[in-house]
Structure formats: structure tokens, C-alpha cells
Amino acid sequence: MRAPAPAKINLALVVGPLRDDGKHEVVTIYQRVGMSDRIDLSPAAELRVDGFPGDTLVRGALEALAVRAGVDPRWHATIEKRLPVAAGLGGGSSDAATALRLANDTLTDPLPREALHELAAGLGADVPFFLEEGPQLGTGIGTTLSPLDLPQDFWVLLVLPRRAVKPSTASIYAAFDERGGADGWEARRDALLEGIARIRRPRDLAALPPNDLAQSSLTDELLALGAFRADVSGAGPTVYGLFHHRAAAEAAKRALKRPDGTWITPPAWYG
């Protein structure tokens, strides 16, 4: 069995205060894009994960599925890694969700959708999104999902500064807390929800509030080069620009003239 494990961007990310469980309240818009890793999975005598030495999420997902389903973890998963690591694009979460879905389909008694979602939520806040179709509104810690009907007729230019070193996600949230980032979060949350209700065309995405966790000077560059929206994805460091036409995205990519990783991709609905 084989399936793509697509990347995502956060079209908006509003972060609130710490909850009683030690995690932050968030409201975010998840959007798949047409870049992906690839996962191969087959039955095996024992659990084995190849292809990406840094993996922990795929192995953890398969072990958790086996425990929940009451079976031995007898799968061989191979990760064909194409997405940049620790880039804010959800590659590891997508790999885990894809392996989870493929392995669940091999079970004599597969877990129902709700149970699989619950299992995914225990692996990471982004993981459940990759089990769903289309754009999703993530609330709570990002694992409570509601489908969104958003325009998909635009192009995405992704820019990953090659020398960027991403701090740990925990340290990024700690810095957010130290600067009082949660102050006024209700107003930003309401602005995001009101902005979603007004989205009819791609350019309406421009009115969404900026990422609460991370900023980059690249967003201004992309806007100056014709993007109708530019922001950081997740905790970064990848920055995206949204363009109405591929030709405009290509022109912006050429004009950047930076030693960065750059990719142009359309949105994607599912894996």
C-alpha cells in the first residue's frame, strides 16, 4: 500500500493562553498543499520503519495503533522523505497520519473514524487534520476540526531560508508567553472567525490576521512581489505567499534572488 503524505500551511494561526493541560488554546486554518512525502506500508513479521533515520512519529503511530487495536505491530513502513524537516509544514505529522490510515486499513477490525481521530490527537496537534479532507478550522489545541469551504484557485510560493535554524516548538511558545502574546486573544480569535465568514474569493484570505507565533521579513518581500497574502506557516520558519496565477508566483520566485529553498505548488484537497 502506498500513499502521499502532503504538507500543510496555516492560512491563519491565533494563539491564546495556556490551558489547564499545559497546552495553548489555538484557532487555526489548515490547508494542504501539493507537495508530499510518500509512505509505503506492507505486512511484516515485526515492526520496521525505513527511509528516514530521524523518524519517531511513524513508529509511534503504528505502535499506538497496535495497542489500541489489540494486535501485534506487524508492518513494514518506508518513508520517502521529500518535504523539508522542522519547517512548519507538518511533514512528520502527515507521515504519521498516512501510516496510521494505511495500517488501519489492513486490520480485520479497523478502528472507526472517531477512534482513529482520538489516537491521532494523542500523537500531535496537527496529526488529525491529515486524516480529513479539505481545509479545516482547528480549535482547542488544534485537534478539534470543522470543515471549511475555502477557495482553492490560487498558487502557493513557499520559501524556506536555508540558514534558518528552527528553535523547538516549546521554546517558541515559551517566548510567546514571556512577551504576553495571549493578551487580547479573544479579539484576534473573533476577527479570524469573522474573516472566515467573509471569504468568497482567494483575495479575501488577505484579511485574515497574521500568525501570532512567528514573523518574518520575507512576508513583506512577498507582498511587494505581488502576493495577496503572505505569512509564516505554523511555528516557522517556512514563509508562504499566495498568488492568483502561477506566472506571478514564478516571477516572484525569480525576483527573490536568495539562496533559499523555494517551491511553487497549488493547494491540495486530500492526500
Side-chain angles (χ1 to χ4, degrees):
M1 303 174 71
R2 170 181 289 186
K8 61 82 184 169
I9 57 175
N10 299 81
L11 290 175
L13 176 58
V14 171
V15 181
L18 276 171
R19 298 154 38 114
D20 291 340
D21 60 7
K23 298 179 181 179
H24 287 77
E25 197 78 23
V26 303
V27 181
T28 188
I29 300 175
Y30 295 115
Q31 169 69 61
R32 277 183 189 77
V33 296
M35 296 168 52
S36 65
D37 292 340
R38 186 167 290 277
I39 304 296
D40 287 272
L41 186 133
S42 59
E46 60 184 10
L47 180 59
R48 182 174 146 200
V49 180
D50 292 329
F52 179 51
D55 169 70
T56 57
L57 282 172
V58 168
R59 176 174 290 276
L62 295 176
E63 290 173 342
L65 176 63
V67 170
R68 184 69 175 266
V71 301
D72 292 327
R74 294 179 174 174
W75 297 288
H76 176 205
T78 302
I79 305 168
E80 185 179 335
K81 200 70 185 166
R82 301 171 179 174
L83 300 174
V85 178
L89 298 175
S93 295
S94 186
D95 293 347
T98 303
L100 197 61
R101 178 167 52 85
L102 292 176
N104 191 55
D105 286 345
T106 70
L107 297 176
T108 303
D109 187 16
L111 295 187
R113 178 177 177 176
E114 295 77 11
L116 200 64
H117 183 285
E118 181 183 345
L119 186 62
L123 298 169
D126 293 350
V127 180
F129 163 68
F130 290 104
L131 297 174
E132 303 295 330
E133 292 186 350
Q136 297 280 328
L137 178 69
T139 58
I141 62 170
T143 58
T144 301
L145 300 172
S146 304
L148 294 173
D149 183 15
L150 298 182
Q152 301 287 283
D153 51 333
F154 56 87
W155 288 85
V156 184
L157 172 58
L158 298 172
V159 184
L160 175 60
R162 292 204 182 276
R163 295 183 181 178
V165 178
K166 179 182 177 179
S168 69
T169 301
S171 68
I172 292 172
Y173 273 98
F176 172 83
D177 292 334
E178 289 171 5
R179 66 175 182 265
D183 293 347
W185 105 277
E186 294 91 347
R188 297 194 306 279
R189 175 199 61 199
D190 293 347
L192 172 53
L193 297 177
E194 291 167 7
I196 290 171
R198 292 193 293 268
I199 295 172
R200 299 291 183 272
R201 296 163 294 185
R203 66 171 177 246
D204 296 332
L205 295 168
L208 297 176
N211 187 322
D212 273 353
L213 275 186
Q215 297 80 41
S216 171
S217 60
L218 274 170
T219 59
D220 291 334
E221 291 186 51
L222 290 170
L223 291 171
L225 290 170
F228 60 83
R229 178 170 176 82
D231 206 351
V232 179
S233 181
T238 298
V239 175
Y240 65 83
L242 307 185
F243 294 82
H244 290 294
H245 304 289
R246 177 164 190 145
E250 295 277 9
K253 179 180 176 181
R254 291 192 299 270
L256 281 173
K257 296 180 180 177
R258 301 170 61 101
D260 300 316
T262 54
W263 302 266
I264 294 175
T265 178
W269 190 259
Y270 195 56

PDB file of all heavy atoms in Angstrom, residues 15-47:
ATOM      1  N   VAL A  15      -3.219  32.349  18.665  1.00  0.00           N
ATOM      2  CA  VAL A  15      -2.844  31.581  19.849  1.00  0.00           C
ATOM      3  C   VAL A  15      -3.354  32.280  21.103  1.00  0.00           C
ATOM      4  O   VAL A  15      -3.223  33.498  21.248  1.00  0.00           O
ATOM      5  CB  VAL A  15      -1.315  31.406  19.932  1.00  0.00           C
ATOM      6  CG1 VAL A  15      -0.929  30.574  21.151  1.00  0.00           C
ATOM      7  CG2 VAL A  15      -0.797  30.743  18.655  1.00  0.00           C
ATOM      8  N   GLY A  16      -3.910  31.495  22.003  1.00  0.00           N
ATOM      9  CA  GLY A  16      -4.450  32.023  23.244  1.00  0.00           C
ATOM     10  C   GLY A  16      -3.622  31.601  24.446  1.00  0.00           C
ATOM     11  O   GLY A  16      -2.460  31.207  24.327  1.00  0.00           O
ATOM     12  N   PRO A  17      -4.224  31.652  25.611  1.00  0.00           N
ATOM     13  CA  PRO A  17      -3.495  31.367  26.841  1.00  0.00           C
ATOM     14  C   PRO A  17      -3.285  29.877  27.068  1.00  0.00           C
ATOM     15  O   PRO A  17      -3.872  29.029  26.379  1.00  0.00           O
ATOM     16  CB  PRO A  17      -4.424  31.947  27.910  1.00  0.00           C
ATOM     17  CG  PRO A  17      -5.789  31.831  27.307  1.00  0.00           C
ATOM     18  CD  PRO A  17      -5.612  32.074  25.838  1.00  0.00           C
ATOM     19  N   LEU A  18      -2.450  29.581  28.046  1.00  0.00           N
ATOM     20  CA  LEU A  18      -2.253  28.198  28.465  1.00  0.00           C
ATOM     21  C   LEU A  18      -3.534  27.633  29.062  1.00  0.00           C
ATOM     22  O   LEU A  18      -4.246  28.309  29.813  1.00  0.00           O
ATOM     23  CB  LEU A  18      -1.138  28.118  29.500  1.00  0.00           C
ATOM     24  CG  LEU A  18       0.297  28.056  29.002  1.00  0.00           C
ATOM     25  CD1 LEU A  18       1.261  28.207  30.164  1.00  0.00           C
ATOM     26  CD2 LEU A  18       0.550  26.722  28.295  1.00  0.00           C
ATOM     27  N   ARG A  19      -3.816  26.385  28.740  1.00  0.00           N
ATOM     28  CA  ARG A  19      -4.950  25.683  29.306  1.00  0.00           C
ATOM     29  C   ARG A  19      -4.508  24.937  30.557  1.00  0.00           C
ATOM     30  O   ARG A  19      -3.321  24.894  30.886  1.00  0.00           O
ATOM     31  CB  ARG A  19      -5.497  24.685  28.273  1.00  0.00           C
ATOM     32  CG  ARG A  19      -5.998  25.315  27.006  1.00  0.00           C
ATOM     33  CD  ARG A  19      -5.943  24.394  25.801  1.00  0.00           C
ATOM     34  NE  ARG A  19      -6.264  23.008  26.071  1.00  0.00           N
ATOM     35  CZ  ARG A  19      -7.347  22.377  25.585  1.00  0.00           C
ATOM     36  NH1 ARG A  19      -8.197  23.043  24.812  1.00  0.00           N
ATOM     37  NH2 ARG A  19      -7.545  21.111  25.842  1.00  0.00           N
ATOM     38  N   ASP A  20      -5.470  24.325  31.218  1.00  0.00           N
ATOM     39  CA  ASP A  20      -5.158  23.551  32.420  1.00  0.00           C
ATOM     40  C   ASP A  20      -4.279  22.349  32.115  1.00  0.00           C
ATOM     41  O   ASP A  20      -3.553  21.861  32.991  1.00  0.00           O
ATOM     42  CB  ASP A  20      -6.454  23.081  33.097  1.00  0.00           C
ATOM     43  CG  ASP A  20      -7.244  24.229  33.700  1.00  0.00           C
ATOM     44  OD1 ASP A  20      -6.644  25.300  33.937  1.00  0.00           O
ATOM     45  OD2 ASP A  20      -8.461  24.055  33.936  1.00  0.00           O
ATOM     46  N   ASP A  21      -4.323  21.858  30.853  1.00  0.00           N
ATOM     47  CA  ASP A  21      -3.499  20.705  30.489  1.00  0.00           C
ATOM     48  C   ASP A  21      -2.088  21.112  30.064  1.00  0.00           C
ATOM     49  O   ASP A  21      -1.302  20.274  29.618  1.00  0.00           O
ATOM     50  CB  ASP A  21      -4.170  19.887  29.379  1.00  0.00           C
ATOM     51  CG  ASP A  21      -4.402  20.694  28.092  1.00  0.00           C
ATOM     52  OD1 ASP A  21      -3.927  21.847  28.008  1.00  0.00           O
ATOM     53  OD2 ASP A  21      -5.064  20.164  27.182  1.00  0.00           O
ATOM     54  N   GLY A  22      -1.761  22.419  30.197  1.00  0.00           N
ATOM     55  CA  GLY A  22      -0.419  22.884  29.863  1.00  0.00           C
ATOM     56  C   GLY A  22      -0.207  23.191  28.397  1.00  0.00           C
ATOM     57  O   GLY A  22       0.904  23.546  27.994  1.00  0.00           O
ATOM     58  N   LYS A  23      -1.262  23.078  27.589  1.00  0.00           N
ATOM     59  CA  LYS A  23      -1.172  23.393  26.167  1.00  0.00           C
ATOM     60  C   LYS A  23      -1.905  24.699  25.898  1.00  0.00           C
ATOM     61  O   LYS A  23      -2.689  25.163  26.715  1.00  0.00           O
ATOM     62  CB  LYS A  23      -1.753  22.254  25.335  1.00  0.00           C
ATOM     63  CG  LYS A  23      -0.982  20.950  25.544  1.00  0.00           C
ATOM     64  CD  LYS A  23      -1.571  19.816  24.735  1.00  0.00           C
ATOM     65  CE  LYS A  23      -0.788  18.520  24.975  1.00  0.00           C
ATOM     66  NZ  LYS A  23      -1.350  17.382  24.211  1.00  0.00           N
ATOM     67  N   HIS A  24      -1.639  25.286  24.741  1.00  0.00           N
ATOM     68  CA  HIS A  24      -2.240  26.573  24.400  1.00  0.00           C
ATOM     69  C   HIS A  24      -3.531  26.399  23.600  1.00  0.00           C
ATOM     70  O   HIS A  24      -3.633  25.504  22.763  1.00  0.00           O
ATOM     71  CB  HIS A  24      -1.265  27.418  23.575  1.00  0.00           C
ATOM     72  CG  HIS A  24      -0.139  27.984  24.357  1.00  0.00           C
ATOM     73  ND1 HIS A  24       0.938  27.224  24.733  1.00  0.00           N
ATOM     74  CD2 HIS A  24       0.078  29.239  24.861  1.00  0.00           C
ATOM     75  CE1 HIS A  24       1.796  27.978  25.411  1.00  0.00           C
ATOM     76  NE2 HIS A  24       1.292  29.199  25.514  1.00  0.00           N
ATOM     77  N   GLU A  25      -4.458  27.278  23.881  1.00  0.00           N
ATOM     78  CA  GLU A  25      -5.656  27.368  23.068  1.00  0.00           C
ATOM     79  C   GLU A  25      -5.263  27.979  21.723  1.00  0.00           C
ATOM     80  O   GLU A  25      -4.483  28.938  21.674  1.00  0.00           O
ATOM     81  CB  GLU A  25      -6.670  28.268  23.758  1.00  0.00           C
ATOM     82  CG  GLU A  25      -8.080  28.129  23.251  1.00  0.00           C
ATOM     83  CD  GLU A  25      -8.795  26.898  23.777  1.00  0.00           C
ATOM     84  OE1 GLU A  25      -8.403  26.389  24.844  1.00  0.00           O
ATOM     85  OE2 GLU A  25      -9.739  26.462  23.108  1.00  0.00           O
ATOM     86  N   VAL A  26      -5.759  27.420  20.631  1.00  0.00           N
ATOM     87  CA  VAL A  26      -5.450  27.974  19.311  1.00  0.00           C
ATOM     88  C   VAL A  26      -6.701  27.972  18.443  1.00  0.00           C
ATOM     89  O   VAL A  26      -7.647  27.208  18.667  1.00  0.00           O
ATOM     90  CB  VAL A  26      -4.329  27.196  18.572  1.00  0.00           C
ATOM     91  CG1 VAL A  26      -3.054  27.136  19.392  1.00  0.00           C
ATOM     92  CG2 VAL A  26      -4.785  25.809  18.171  1.00  0.00           C
ATOM     93  N   VAL A  27      -6.691  28.840  17.452  1.00  0.00           N
ATOM     94  CA  VAL A  27      -7.637  28.776  16.342  1.00  0.00           C
ATOM     95  C   VAL A  27      -6.789  28.906  15.083  1.00  0.00           C
ATOM     96  O   VAL A  27      -6.030  29.871  14.938  1.00  0.00           O
ATOM     97  CB  VAL A  27      -8.689  29.896  16.403  1.00  0.00           C
ATOM     98  CG1 VAL A  27      -9.661  29.758  15.241  1.00  0.00           C
ATOM     99  CG2 VAL A  27      -9.448  29.857  17.716  1.00  0.00           C
ATOM    100  N   THR A  28      -6.904  27.927  14.193  1.00  0.00           N
ATOM    101  CA  THR A  28      -6.037  27.919  13.020  1.00  0.00           C
ATOM    102  C   THR A  28      -6.780  27.387  11.807  1.00  0.00           C
ATOM    103  O   THR A  28      -7.770  26.645  11.949  1.00  0.00           O
ATOM    104  CB  THR A  28      -4.764  27.083  13.274  1.00  0.00           C
ATOM    105  OG1 THR A  28      -3.849  27.248  12.185  1.00  0.00           O
ATOM    106  CG2 THR A  28      -5.081  25.607  13.443  1.00  0.00           C
ATOM    107  N   ILE A  29      -6.314  27.780  10.640  1.00  0.00           N
ATOM    108  CA  ILE A  29      -6.848  27.253   9.377  1.00  0.00           C
ATOM    109  C   ILE A  29      -5.769  26.379   8.752  1.00  0.00           C
ATOM    110  O   ILE A  29      -4.694  26.855   8.392  1.00  0.00           O
ATOM    111  CB  ILE A  29      -7.234  28.368   8.402  1.00  0.00           C
ATOM    112  CG1 ILE A  29      -8.315  29.264   9.008  1.00  0.00           C
ATOM    113  CG2 ILE A  29      -7.732  27.763   7.081  1.00  0.00           C
ATOM    114  CD1 ILE A  29      -8.655  30.470   8.152  1.00  0.00           C
ATOM    115  N   TYR A  30      -6.072  25.083   8.640  1.00  0.00           N
ATOM    116  CA  TYR A  30      -5.167  24.144   7.987  1.00  0.00           C
ATOM    117  C   TYR A  30      -5.512  24.044   6.502  1.00  0.00           C
ATOM    118  O   TYR A  30      -6.679  23.884   6.136  1.00  0.00           O
ATOM    119  CB  TYR A  30      -5.323  22.747   8.581  1.00  0.00           C
ATOM    120  CG  TYR A  30      -4.933  22.574  10.028  1.00  0.00           C
ATOM    121  CD1 TYR A  30      -5.901  22.240  10.975  1.00  0.00           C
ATOM    122  CD2 TYR A  30      -3.616  22.679  10.448  1.00  0.00           C
ATOM    123  CE1 TYR A  30      -5.557  22.029  12.304  1.00  0.00           C
ATOM    124  CE2 TYR A  30      -3.263  22.472  11.773  1.00  0.00           C
ATOM    125  CZ  TYR A  30      -4.237  22.141  12.699  1.00  0.00           C
ATOM    126  OH  TYR A  30      -3.902  21.927  14.012  1.00  0.00           O
ATOM    127  N   GLN A  31      -4.480  24.091   5.673  1.00  0.00           N
ATOM    128  CA  GLN A  31      -4.656  23.957   4.223  1.00  0.00           C
ATOM    129  C   GLN A  31      -3.555  23.055   3.667  1.00  0.00           C
ATOM    130  O   GLN A  31      -2.365  23.356   3.819  1.00  0.00           O
ATOM    131  CB  GLN A  31      -4.592  25.327   3.545  1.00  0.00           C
ATOM    132  CG  GLN A  31      -4.503  25.294   2.027  1.00  0.00           C
ATOM    133  CD  GLN A  31      -5.782  24.811   1.367  1.00  0.00           C
ATOM    134  OE1 GLN A  31      -6.828  25.436   1.523  1.00  0.00           O
ATOM    135  NE2 GLN A  31      -5.715  23.702   0.638  1.00  0.00           N
ATOM    136  N   ARG A  32      -3.931  21.942   3.046  1.00  0.00           N
ATOM    137  CA  ARG A  32      -2.934  21.112   2.367  1.00  0.00           C
ATOM    138  C   ARG A  32      -2.394  21.825   1.136  1.00  0.00           C
ATOM    139  O   ARG A  32      -3.094  22.608   0.499  1.00  0.00           O
ATOM    140  CB  ARG A  32      -3.550  19.798   1.894  1.00  0.00           C
ATOM    141  CG  ARG A  32      -3.629  18.713   2.925  1.00  0.00           C
ATOM    142  CD  ARG A  32      -4.198  17.457   2.281  1.00  0.00           C
ATOM    143  NE  ARG A  32      -4.484  16.444   3.276  1.00  0.00           N
ATOM    144  CZ  ARG A  32      -5.542  16.467   4.071  1.00  0.00           C
ATOM    145  NH1 ARG A  32      -6.416  17.440   3.975  1.00  0.00           N
ATOM    146  NH2 ARG A  32      -5.735  15.503   4.958  1.00  0.00           N
ATOM    147  N   VAL A  33      -1.152  21.473   0.787  1.00  0.00           N
ATOM    148  CA  VAL A  33      -0.574  21.918  -0.477  1.00  0.00           C
ATOM    149  C   VAL A  33      -0.043  20.701  -1.216  1.00  0.00           C
ATOM    150  O   VAL A  33       0.097  19.612  -0.651  1.00  0.00           O
ATOM    151  CB  VAL A  33       0.533  22.971  -0.262  1.00  0.00           C
ATOM    152  CG1 VAL A  33      -0.040  24.229   0.357  1.00  0.00           C
ATOM    153  CG2 VAL A  33       1.670  22.421   0.593  1.00  0.00           C
ATOM    154  N   GLY A  34       0.244  20.895  -2.503  1.00  0.00           N
ATOM    155  CA  GLY A  34       0.559  19.778  -3.372  1.00  0.00           C
ATOM    156  C   GLY A  34       1.996  19.304  -3.356  1.00  0.00           C
ATOM    157  O   GLY A  34       2.509  18.863  -4.385  1.00  0.00           O
ATOM    158  N   MET A  35       2.661  19.372  -2.227  1.00  0.00           N
ATOM    159  CA  MET A  35       3.981  18.771  -2.026  1.00  0.00           C
ATOM    160  C   MET A  35       3.826  17.669  -0.988  1.00  0.00           C
ATOM    161  O   MET A  35       3.033  17.815  -0.055  1.00  0.00           O
ATOM    162  CB  MET A  35       4.986  19.801  -1.496  1.00  0.00           C
ATOM    163  CG  MET A  35       5.291  20.936  -2.430  1.00  0.00           C
ATOM    164  SD  MET A  35       6.203  22.237  -1.551  1.00  0.00           S
ATOM    165  CE  MET A  35       7.551  21.297  -0.796  1.00  0.00           C
ATOM    166  N   SER A  36       4.564  16.599  -1.128  1.00  0.00           N
ATOM    167  CA  SER A  36       4.334  15.497  -0.194  1.00  0.00           C
ATOM    168  C   SER A  36       5.548  14.595  -0.042  1.00  0.00           C
ATOM    169  O   SER A  36       6.396  14.501  -0.934  1.00  0.00           O
ATOM    170  CB  SER A  36       3.133  14.649  -0.657  1.00  0.00           C
ATOM    171  OG  SER A  36       3.414  14.021  -1.890  1.00  0.00           O
ATOM    172  N   ASP A  37       5.604  13.943   1.117  1.00  0.00           N
ATOM    173  CA  ASP A  37       6.400  12.736   1.288  1.00  0.00           C
ATOM    174  C   ASP A  37       5.581  11.581   0.701  1.00  0.00           C
ATOM    175  O   ASP A  37       4.462  11.771   0.230  1.00  0.00           O
ATOM    176  CB  ASP A  37       6.661  12.467   2.775  1.00  0.00           C
ATOM    177  CG  ASP A  37       7.577  13.487   3.424  1.00  0.00           C
ATOM    178  OD1 ASP A  37       8.315  14.181   2.704  1.00  0.00           O
ATOM    179  OD2 ASP A  37       7.556  13.592   4.670  1.00  0.00           O
ATOM    180  N   ARG A  38       6.146  10.381   0.766  1.00  0.00           N
ATOM    181  CA  ARG A  38       5.387   9.204   0.336  1.00  0.00           C
ATOM    182  C   ARG A  38       5.622   8.089   1.352  1.00  0.00           C
ATOM    183  O   ARG A  38       6.744   7.881   1.811  1.00  0.00           O
ATOM    184  CB  ARG A  38       5.812   8.747  -1.062  1.00  0.00           C
ATOM    185  CG  ARG A  38       4.957   7.621  -1.615  1.00  0.00           C
ATOM    186  CD  ARG A  38       5.206   7.411  -3.092  1.00  0.00           C
ATOM    187  NE  ARG A  38       4.692   8.519  -3.881  1.00  0.00           N
ATOM    188  CZ  ARG A  38       3.426   8.654  -4.269  1.00  0.00           C
ATOM    189  NH1 ARG A  38       2.528   7.756  -3.926  1.00  0.00           N
ATOM    190  NH2 ARG A  38       3.055   9.675  -5.010  1.00  0.00           N
ATOM    191  N   ILE A  39       4.545   7.397   1.681  1.00  0.00           N
ATOM    192  CA  ILE A  39       4.608   6.293   2.640  1.00  0.00           C
ATOM    193  C   ILE A  39       4.224   5.001   1.942  1.00  0.00           C
ATOM    194  O   ILE A  39       3.174   4.910   1.296  1.00  0.00           O
ATOM    195  CB  ILE A  39       3.652   6.533   3.832  1.00  0.00           C
ATOM    196  CG1 ILE A  39       3.941   7.872   4.520  1.00  0.00           C
ATOM    197  CG2 ILE A  39       3.745   5.370   4.827  1.00  0.00           C
ATOM    198  CD1 ILE A  39       5.295   7.968   5.171  1.00  0.00           C
ATOM    199  N   ASP A  40       5.089   3.986   2.066  1.00  0.00           N
ATOM    200  CA  ASP A  40       4.768   2.624   1.635  1.00  0.00           C
ATOM    201  C   ASP A  40       4.590   1.770   2.874  1.00  0.00           C
ATOM    202  O   ASP A  40       5.383   1.877   3.836  1.00  0.00           O
ATOM    203  CB  ASP A  40       5.904   2.051   0.789  1.00  0.00           C
ATOM    204  CG  ASP A  40       5.962   2.676  -0.588  1.00  0.00           C
ATOM    205  OD1 ASP A  40       5.279   2.167  -1.491  1.00  0.00           O
ATOM    206  OD2 ASP A  40       6.682   3.678  -0.752  1.00  0.00           O
ATOM    207  N   LEU A  41       3.583   0.911   2.871  1.00  0.00           N
ATOM    208  CA  LEU A  41       3.338   0.060   4.037  1.00  0.00           C
ATOM    209  C   LEU A  41       2.918  -1.326   3.583  1.00  0.00           C
ATOM    210  O   LEU A  41       2.106  -1.465   2.659  1.00  0.00           O
ATOM    211  CB  LEU A  41       2.257   0.683   4.926  1.00  0.00           C
ATOM    212  CG  LEU A  41       2.014  -0.042   6.240  1.00  0.00           C
ATOM    213  CD1 LEU A  41       1.975   0.937   7.407  1.00  0.00           C
ATOM    214  CD2 LEU A  41       0.717  -0.841   6.188  1.00  0.00           C
ATOM    215  N   SER A  42       3.476  -2.326   4.220  1.00  0.00           N
ATOM    216  CA  SER A  42       3.143  -3.710   3.889  1.00  0.00           C
ATOM    217  C   SER A  42       3.189  -4.550   5.157  1.00  0.00           C
ATOM    218  O   SER A  42       3.838  -4.178   6.147  1.00  0.00           O
ATOM    219  CB  SER A  42       4.124  -4.259   2.850  1.00  0.00           C
ATOM    220  OG  SER A  42       5.455  -4.192   3.343  1.00  0.00           O
ATOM    221  N   PRO A  43       2.503  -5.707   5.168  1.00  0.00           N
ATOM    222  CA  PRO A  43       2.598  -6.609   6.310  1.00  0.00           C
ATOM    223  C   PRO A  43       4.025  -7.103   6.483  1.00  0.00           C
ATOM    224  O   PRO A  43       4.786  -7.219   5.518  1.00  0.00           O
ATOM    225  CB  PRO A  43       1.655  -7.755   5.934  1.00  0.00           C
ATOM    226  CG  PRO A  43       0.748  -7.186   4.890  1.00  0.00           C
ATOM    227  CD  PRO A  43       1.577  -6.194   4.135  1.00  0.00           C
ATOM    228  N   ALA A  44       4.405  -7.398   7.726  1.00  0.00           N
ATOM    229  CA  ALA A  44       5.766  -7.855   8.015  1.00  0.00           C
ATOM    230  C   ALA A  44       5.737  -8.713   9.272  1.00  0.00           C
ATOM    231  O   ALA A  44       4.734  -8.754  10.001  1.00  0.00           O
ATOM    232  CB  ALA A  44       6.704  -6.662   8.201  1.00  0.00           C
ATOM    233  N   ALA A  45       6.839  -9.389   9.533  1.00  0.00           N
ATOM    234  CA  ALA A  45       6.913 -10.234  10.721  1.00  0.00           C
ATOM    235  C   ALA A  45       6.992  -9.410  11.997  1.00  0.00           C
ATOM    236  O   ALA A  45       6.588  -9.868  13.073  1.00  0.00           O
ATOM    237  CB  ALA A  45       8.128 -11.162  10.612  1.00  0.00           C
ATOM    238  N   GLU A  46       7.524  -8.184  11.878  1.00  0.00           N
ATOM    239  CA  GLU A  46       7.636  -7.293  13.029  1.00  0.00           C
ATOM    240  C   GLU A  46       7.656  -5.853  12.532  1.00  0.00           C
ATOM    241  O   GLU A  46       7.780  -5.599  11.332  1.00  0.00           O
ATOM    242  CB  GLU A  46       8.917  -7.598  13.816  1.00  0.00           C
ATOM    243  CG  GLU A  46      10.183  -7.431  13.000  1.00  0.00           C
ATOM    244  CD  GLU A  46      11.430  -7.826  13.773  1.00  0.00           C
ATOM    245  OE1 GLU A  46      11.289  -8.392  14.862  1.00  0.00           O
ATOM    246  OE2 GLU A  46      12.537  -7.558  13.274  1.00  0.00           O
ATOM    247  N   LEU A  47       7.537  -4.917  13.467  1.00  0.00           N
ATOM    248  CA  LEU A  47       7.502  -3.510  13.079  1.00  0.00           C
ATOM    249  C   LEU A  47       8.879  -3.042  12.615  1.00  0.00           C
ATOM    250  O   LEU A  47       9.884  -3.250  13.292  1.00  0.00           O
ATOM    251  CB  LEU A  47       7.047  -2.657  14.271  1.00  0.00           C
ATOM    252  CG  LEU A  47       6.966  -1.148  14.007  1.00  0.00           C
ATOM    253  CD1 LEU A  47       5.995  -0.840  12.872  1.00  0.00           C
ATOM    254  CD2 LEU A  47       6.567  -0.404  15.268  1.00  0.00           C
TER     255      LEU A  47
END
